[in-house]
Amino acid sequence: MNKNFGYILLLMMTAVFLYPDQSVSAQGIGKVEKWLAVGSLQNWYSSIGCEREEDGPIKAQQAGWRWPSPYLNQDMQAAIGLWIGAKNYTEPGGQKYDFKVVHCGPRPQTGGLVEFFPMQFDLIGKFDLPEILVDGEKTYADFEVTLDNVDAEQPYDQALFNVVNTQMGVTMKRKIFQTSYEYYDNIIVIEYTFINTGNVDQDDEIERTSGDLEDAYFYFQYRMAPCKETRILFGDPTAWGRNTLNDERGPYRNDSDNPDNFRFSYAWHGYYQDFSTWNNVGGPILETDAGKFGARIDDADTVGRLGSAQFPGVLTLHADKSVTDRSDDAEQPRTTGYIASNHELDYASSAFDPTQMASRYALMTKGHPEKSHAELITNGDFTGSKENPGKGSVDDAGYSFVNGYGPYNIPYGDSVKIVMVQASAGLSRDEAIRIGKMYKSGEINDVAKNEYVMQGKDSLYQTFKRATHVYENDWQFPELPRPPRSFEIYSRGGRIDLYWDVYSDGPVINGFEIYRSTTEHVDGYSDNKYYSKYELIAELPADSRSFIDTLLSPNTAYYYYILSVGDNVQGNTELNIPAHTLKSSRFYTQTYAPAYKKTKGQPTISDKVRVVPNPYISSARGSLLYPGEENKIVFVNISGECSIRIYSEIGELIQTIEHNDGSGSQDWFLTTSSNQIVVSGIYIAVIIDNITGDKEIVKFTILR
């Protein structure tokens, strides 16, 4: 057997990354997506090897790279593309190319499954995921995470293991991992290994049994658009990233603000010229989005909060110097800068078109620009410029930042390794509120506001400093106490009951903290939603397994999470980490379905049943409607088991509700049995006690 061919077989057999119960499929696995969602930064990843535009579990322009993830619509990722190229390449059939390039993104029609062949995509957790139930039903945001396996020895909470063959005969292995430790939970690490296997499709047969790769490059495009929340205020093109500004740092630049010579590119919400009501850098929210894109900004959240003050970025931690020198090459990436996001080469591609591949390879090997995109557009005035960030781009659609690693000469059977960090940082929620309020009141002007926004870059730098530190220490994160193994919340008459259990292994748990969404108005937060302000309501000993919550408003939605509390640890002043107590992550136990304190069921219902509010007026505000649940009325003083039949004024039955939870109240979200929103009018409800037969008839009015 050819020595290199035998090595290839060995590589393929061990491509399960030392997880013996996981295996690489002999015929590929197709395109699937999975989330990493244990920290404040959350993102989806695709089995094909990169995250293409509108190609994930959420078919939207902005989907993924969410930070800060407790809140809605924080998505900043529009697209990621990966191209792999080399010179003087020979196909298995003998066809020769001066330049060979295979493509995956940034658009779905750019390469993908015809050039990238996913073989393995497994999500491994450090422990089984907790079961979170509200009134007996699973609760999660807009996706449910399931594990493929568990490895208690891995130092991070979760890791995705991805193997992808390519039409070029390069097999890519990705390990993507994240910790829930609060001072590192805004980073996701990706370790790439690119192997010259000669496997050009989705089966286990090796088609190209020889041939080195000459001057190979690995080229990434990142189209960022911070962030989805403010698109609904400022305009649709901000979702494309037309107003995104991209900057970079590295040892090839003389930048005083990069004393550690980090190699990173980053982006932020630049000035969007088509919106002129106020300066939108940082996304100050001064009014609701009534009438725009579904009206998703709460009235409570119009104090000026900076809604797009995020700084997403990518840090290079390591890139092999060569196949014979595995030390870090400080000159990588060798190509940086920017590309028009609607560049003609970002559309339909071919791995057999010599002209196309030569043009793409030229982009991949372009080197460093004299100025970054942001410097070119603003002439260095990041806080005062009102120039269009998309100026000069194709279709005026904006720019993406790029990182290209190479050139590598990779003998048949050999490989190179690249390690990078995806991260996001910026102003804290409370700081974004404080600065935004000053801006709305006129206390600070546009430039001063923008200077505050740009402080977010310092937070990103601090994030990269922490990432570098833990990388140099072999990813040894502090081991956190396990979250509760289960967390169950039940709506009851006069209270809400909470129960939990714990894992049998893991660090010692010293106690628990329970947090609940507030119903009080808090500037800059939506009222009474799962992404509203939370407050600590209980600190309990380690042997506690339940809590009864009674200090609640009746028939009002509440959301919870519970933390396991561990040991106290020392801080690190260099990394700006204070002394603190280790705690599990809220993201394991956060509830996304409401629980209610219900009134107790009545023994008799005659002359007692009421409808609240009555009349229901959709335009009412404040206490006249239920906080955060404006499309709801409640039948109160009913029995614990009864049927509620709702009729229109002309006697048409529009909805039947079977009430059997023992409480004295029942919500109705103003929809018919066919899930249509009811119109203005007078309605009649007939309530019949299922045990006694007691009956009550009430009328109520709906005004829209």
Side-chain angles (χ1 to χ4, degrees):
M1 177 183 290
N2 177 283
K3 180 179 179 181
N4 283 336
F5 184 71
Y7 181 55
I8 293 295
L9 289 178
L10 178 63
L11 284 171
M12 297 304 292
M13 290 172 63
T14 58
V16 294
F17 301 91
L18 305 179
Y19 284 84
D21 337 14
Q22 307 300 311
S23 59
V24 175
S25 167
Q27 294 298 325
I29 59 172
K31 188 175 79 68
V32 294
E33 297 85 30
K34 298 181 181 182
W35 284 85
L36 279 182
V38 300
S40 64
L41 175 62
Q42 300 183 0
N43 204 0
W44 62 271
Y45 295 91
S46 173
S47 62
I48 61 173
C50 76
E51 291 60 58
R52 302 180 300 180
E53 185 175 33
E54 298 187 16
D55 194 41
I58 301 171
K59 307 300 181 186
Q61 184 81 48
Q62 294 158 297
W65 212 307
R66 297 175 171 177
W67 185 89
S69 58
Y71 310 107
L72 283 181
N73 301 315
Q74 303 304 299
D75 303 67
M76 296 178 281
Q77 178 176 281
I80 300 177
L82 167 60
W83 299 349
I84 302 174
K87 292 165 55 177
N88 302 320
Y89 180 86
T90 303
E91 296 281 0
Q95 175 69 45
K96 297 181 183 296
Y97 293 103
D98 293 337
F99 302 97
K100 174 71 172 180
V101 181
V102 292
H103 326 81
C104 187
R107 284 182 165 78
Q109 61 266 49
T110 318
L113 287 173
V114 296
E115 299 177 34
F116 277 56
F117 311 104
M119 308 299 290
Q120 177 194 355
F121 197 49
D122 296 319
L123 179 59
I124 311 299
K126 192 175 180 67
F127 47 85
D128 287 317
L129 293 176
E131 183 178 52
I132 313 301
L133 303 176
V134 176
D135 291 330
E137 300 291 333
K138 282 186 178 181
T139 173
Y140 46 87
D142 53 2
F143 55 87
E144 183 178 10
V145 175
T146 57
L147 300 178
D148 296 297
N149 212 328
V150 172
D151 176 18
E153 300 304 315
Q154 67 183 22
Y156 19 78
D157 285 56
Q158 291 181 5
L160 277 165
F161 294 91
N162 189 197
V163 178
V164 184
N165 293 336
T166 70
Q167 195 279 324
M168 190 174 178
V170 174
T171 295
M172 181 190 76
K173 300 198 313 186
R174 284 199 299 178
K175 181 170 72 171
I176 313 166
F177 57 88
Q178 183 178 36
T179 177
S180 64
Y181 180 38
E182 63 178 313
Y183 294 102
Y184 292 87
D185 75 345
N186 62 333
I187 68 171
I188 294 176
V189 183
I190 309 182
E191 295 181 353
Y192 290 92
T193 304
F194 296 98
I195 313 165
N196 182 6
T197 63
N199 194 326
V200 303
D201 57 22
Q202 69 270 24
D203 60 36
D204 56 3
E205 180 183 357
I206 303 298
E207 290 78 19
R208 179 171 57 76
T209 57
S210 65
D212 298 348
L213 295 178
E214 180 182 336
D215 288 349
Y217 264 82
F218 308 97
Y219 178 78
F220 298 84
Q221 295 184 34
Y222 301 88
R223 186 177 190 177
M224 308 304 296
C227 77
K228 187 174 183 178
E229 181 176 34
T230 56
R231 162 197 170 237
I232 58 185
L233 265 183
F234 303 133
D236 215 33
T238 64
W240 316 334
R242 191 176 104 182
N243 66 307
T244 297
L245 285 170
N246 304 280
D247 196 25
E248 60 184 89
R249 292 292 182 269
Y252 56 90
R253 298 170 56 101
N254 295 316
D255 293 312
S256 60
D257 60 348
N258 185 22
D260 299 285
N261 272 333
F262 290 153
R263 298 161 282 170
F264 65 98
S265 301
Y266 66 103
W268 71 94
H269 180 109
Y271 186 76
Y272 178 54
Q273 289 185 316
D274 290 1
F275 182 89
S276 58
T277 309
W278 62 84
N279 183 292
N280 59 81
V281 174
I285 300 173
L286 307 187
E287 61 185 35
T288 68
D289 63 321
K292 302 176 184 176
F293 303 99
R296 292 180 293 186
I297 292 180
D298 194 286
D299 282 337
D301 193 10
T302 58
V303 297
R305 175 176 65 86
L306 301 176
S308 291
Q310 300 98 324
F311 283 74
V314 176
L315 168 72
T316 299
L317 284 172
H318 173 91
D320 284 349
K321 283 189 175 179
S322 69
V323 297
T324 59
D325 185 351
R326 301 298 181 181
S327 63
D328 178 44
D329 185 350
E331 295 184 8
Q332 299 283 6
R334 278 192 171 80
T335 293
T336 59
Y338 51 95
I339 183 174
S341 297
N342 276 14
H343 196 287
E344 61 178 350
L345 295 177
D346 280 343
Y347 288 90
S349 60
S350 170
F352 304 101
D353 184 316
T355 302
Q356 275 192 21
M357 292 191 292
S359 297
R360 286 189 169 92
Y361 190 83
L363 287 175
M364 298 165 67
T365 60
K366 195 173 182 179
H368 307 295
E370 182 179 349
K371 292 183 176 182
S372 72
H373 165 235
E375 291 169 335
L376 180 71
I377 296 296
T378 70
N379 198 29
D381 184 8
F382 291 177
T383 60
S385 173
K386 292 186 178 180
E387 289 292 329
N388 172 21
K391 182 172 62 176
S393 63
V394 179
D395 302 326
D396 198 28
Y399 294 89
S400 305
F401 68 77
V402 301
N403 286 323
Y405 302 84
Y408 288 107
N409 293 316
I410 308 176
Y412 183 75
D414 223 320
S415 64
V416 294
K417 181 179 180 179
I418 299 167
V419 184
M420 62 183 69
V421 166
Q422 296 178 348
S424 186
L427 301 174
S428 69
R429 180 86 173 197
D430 289 341
E431 189 69 355
I433 293 169
R434 183 185 72 85
I435 296 164
K437 291 172 77 171
M438 289 195 298
Y439 179 64
K440 184 173 183 177
S441 70
E443 185 177 342
I444 59 175
N445 61 16
D446 292 348
V447 171
K449 179 260 296 179
N450 296 347
E451 288 173 347
Y452 277 115
V453 170
M454 293 307 299
Q455 290 179 2
K457 192 191 78 170
D458 300 331
S459 299
L460 183 65
Y461 194 90
Q462 184 68 68
T463 295
F464 288 152
K465 198 167 186 175
R466 292 174 181 173
T468 302
H469 171 81
V470 75
Y471 166 72
E472 292 171 348
N473 287 276
D474 199 26
W475 305 117
Q476 293 305 308
F477 301 101
E479 188 167 9
L480 305 177
R482 300 276 193 273
R485 185 176 62 85
S486 63
F487 187 38
E488 301 180 45
I489 298 95
Y490 293 96
S491 305
R492 302 296 192 200
R495 67 186 195 274
I496 296 177
D497 292 346
L498 292 77
Y499 302 95
W500 60 94
D501 201 356
V502 297
Y503 294 94
S504 58
D505 60 350
V508 172
I509 295 175
N510 298 322
F512 301 96
E513 294 179 349
I514 297 176
Y515 292 79
R516 181 186 65 210
S517 59
T518 181
T519 58
E520 301 297 324
H521 173 82
V522 181
D523 284 348
Y525 288 85
S526 295
D527 286 339
N528 194 230
K529 300 282 190 181
Y530 70 77
Y531 47 94
S532 64
K533 185 81 168 180
Y534 281 73
E535 54 192 1
L536 177 65
I537 62 167
E539 296 178 274
L540 303 171
D543 59 354
S544 299
R545 295 294 181 270
S546 64
F547 178 74
I548 298 174
D549 196 7
T550 58
L551 299 178
L552 305 163
S553 299
N555 304 312
T556 299
Y558 289 95
Y559 302 85
Y560 295 86
Y561 63 85
I562 183 172
L563 305 182
S564 300
V565 179
D567 294 332
N568 296 324
V569 295
Q570 295 181 341
N572 185 322
T573 55
E574 183 180 353
L575 299 177
N576 196 28
I577 298 176
H580 58 282
T581 302
L582 297 177
K583 299 176 184 178
S584 63
S585 169
R586 68 180 287 182
F587 302 106
Y588 283 116
T589 59
Q590 171 82 52
T591 66
Y592 299 95
Y596 303 89
K597 171 187 173 180
K598 298 185 175 183
T599 54
K600 295 181 179 180
Q602 299 293 318
T604 62
I605 59 176
S606 297
D607 300 320
K608 293 180 179 178
V609 177
R610 298 288 182 269
V611 176
V612 181
N614 186 14
Y616 168 86
I617 305 173
S618 63
S619 60
R621 290 290 180 266
S623 61
L624 297 179
L625 297 178
Y626 289 97
E629 297 180 294
E630 290 77 15
N631 292 308
K632 182 178 88 169
I633 66 172
V634 180
F635 299 97
V636 299
N637 299 330
I638 61 177
S639 59
E641 295 186 32
C642 63
S643 296
I644 304 172
R645 293 181 173 87
I646 303 169
Y647 298 86
S648 68
E649 189 176 18
I650 62 173
E652 178 187 7
L653 178 64
I654 63 169
Q655 183 63 276
T656 299
I657 302 171
E658 295 298 333
H659 172 79
N660 53 21
D661 67 1
S663 72
S665 64
Q666 175 65 51
D667 296 345
W668 181 41
F669 291 93
L670 306 182
T671 59
T672 68
S673 57
S674 57
N675 206 33
Q676 300 297 310
I677 299 293
V678 298
V679 299
S680 297
I682 297 174
Y683 292 83
I684 301 165
V686 179
I687 301 95
I688 302 176
D689 189 305
N690 293 337
I691 298 176
T692 67
D694 197 15
K695 182 167 71 173
E696 176 74 321
I697 300 174
V698 293
K699 287 185 177 182
F700 57 97
T701 302
I702 294 176
L703 297 175
R704 293 193 179 279

